[in-house]
Amino acid sequence: MTILCPIDFSAATEALVTYSAALAAGTGATLRLLHVLEPGPAAATAPVNDVELARRLARHHEAAQQAGAQVTTAVIQGNAAQEIVAEARRYPADIIVIGAHGQTGLTRFLMGSTAETVVRTASCVTLLVKPGSPNAYRQSA
């Protein structure tokens, strides 16, 4: 089993990796951490150079390994939503665990939502994790 976990280094990334690593460790799945470098202006949370990117990715890789997960990483370029779905097919993933940043209304309409697009277009199961404490999960109906 393979779990694909796209990360963007936002404040929600740590909780998302913690949750994904626990899921992978508990099921014996391989966890694949993926970062997509999008064209255009970089997000405020984006690493400033390749060294910083490698350092941040290694930190999340290490944390997932310490949680008991078997981990691989990848960095690709392109449109985040399209590349996440394509990576899920290429690798292939049984589930995508992706974070939701809680955009609503006008922001979501104007900018779109990577998570929403992935949920709609992925051919595998997609688990959307809302921001918050990684120890405060609840099941939604």
Side-chain angles (χ1 to χ4, degrees):
M1 182 169 162
T2 301
I3 299 169
L4 178 62
C5 178
I7 58 175
D8 62 2
F9 304 113
S10 66
T13 297
E14 187 173 337
L16 183 63
V17 171
T18 299
Y19 183 86
S20 299
L23 184 60
T27 61
T30 298
L31 174 61
R32 184 160 179 84
L33 299 176
L34 172 70
H35 179 69
V36 180
L37 296 168
E38 290 194 283
T45 59
V48 294
N49 57 44
D50 291 346
V51 173
E52 179 70 12
L53 172 63
R55 186 186 67 72
R56 288 187 188 185
L57 196 56
R59 186 170 51 91
H60 292 297
H61 182 275
E62 176 73 20
Q65 274 188 322
Q66 287 182 356
Q70 180 181 356
V71 188
T72 63
T73 59
V75 177
I76 55 180
Q77 294 185 0
N79 172 277
Q82 292 172 355
E83 293 302 328
I84 292 165
V85 171
E87 183 76 0
R89 277 191 234 110
R90 276 190 302 266
Y91 198 68
D94 297 288
I95 184 170
I96 299 169
V97 179
I98 190 168
H101 293 290
Q103 290 181 343
T104 58
L106 185 59
T107 302
R108 187 165 145 201
F109 175 75
L110 293 174
M111 298 178 66
S113 167
T114 298
E116 180 183 17
T117 301
V118 170
V119 168
R120 281 188 295 107
T121 60
S123 58
C124 63
V125 173
T126 305
L127 176 62
L128 188 63
V129 178
K130 292 181 180 180
S133 170
N135 297 319
Y137 303 115
R138 66 179 177 83
Q139 182 175 352
S140 297

